[in-house]
Amino acid sequence: MTEAMQQRSLRQLVGPVGADYQRRALPPGWVWAVLAVLLAGTWATELPATAAAALIASAVVVHWPRRGRFHWLGWRLPALAVLAALLWGPDVLSQWFEHGLALTLMSLASLSIGVHVWQSRQLARQLQASADALDDAQLLALLPVDAARLAQQWRAGDDRHTPELSVVMHLAVMHAALSPRLRGQGLLAG
């Protein structure tokens, strides 16, 4: 056998880029369960409380990728303030606006969750397709010199640095797949 036939493909080291992105972009199952319990717990109460829970759930889901950092919650914070004013304000206000506004805010919160989940899944598929389209030469070009040397050794059968090389390869492919989006569309930049 020739040496080229014995070499392994670097694509084996890349891993599931799309699934990894989606795992980071969407909350895990236990968070969804907590949000469902929160919504179910407020369902039997007044409609504005359910709308407030839906707004909180929307903020958690949409801002999950940027958790740990302080964020202005956009339209959700003023919406919560309006709901609070309706709940604890004069009865005249609540009679006029409470039901319709609560339903509107619940719809907006549900829509923002749905759009975020859909966009995350679409981007995960696109990232995986971008990663799958790279050949070994392109993958080597993404790596720093030291990592490229280790990748060449790995292709020749040296498995000593496989875990580290796998992480570097995965990150390099993720960066290469996301770079056009960061520059062109600004989807992930903000």
Side-chain angles (χ1 to χ4, degrees), residues 153-175:
Q153 291 172 358
W154 180 85
R155 287 178 70 199
D158 183 359
D159 289 333
R160 290 179 293 164
H161 301 286
T162 301
E164 299 91 349
L165 192 55
S166 182
V167 170
V168 170
M169 184 66 69
H170 186 81
L171 291 173
V173 169
M174 179 74 84
H175 181 268

Side-chain angles (χ1 to χ4, degrees), residues 64-104:
W64 184 259
R66 296 177 296 266
R67 63 193 173 279
R69 291 183 252 159
F70 180 75
H71 292 284
W72 164 250
L73 300 179
W75 57 272
R76 292 169 193 87
L77 193 59
L80 285 170
V82 169
L83 283 172
L86 290 177
L87 281 174
W88 296 297
D91 285 337
V92 174
L93 283 177
S94 63
Q95 289 173 358
W96 287 356
F97 299 112
E98 183 178 290
H99 188 74
L101 181 63
L103 287 176
T104 300

Side-chain angles (χ1 to χ4, degrees), residues 128-147:
Q128 191 62 51
S130 295
D132 291 343
L134 297 172
D135 62 14
D136 277 7
Q138 292 169 318
L139 290 171
L140 275 174
L142 296 175
L143 298 175
V145 175
D146 291 340

Side-chain angles (χ1 to χ4, degrees), residues 10 19-20 47 74 109 125 150 155 187 189:
L10 293 175
D20 187 44
L47 192 58
R125 278 193 282 268
L150 291 175
R155 287 178 70 199
L187 285 176

Side-chain angles (χ1 to χ4, degrees), residues 44-55:
T45 64
E46 295 184 35
L47 192 58
T50 306
L55 289 169

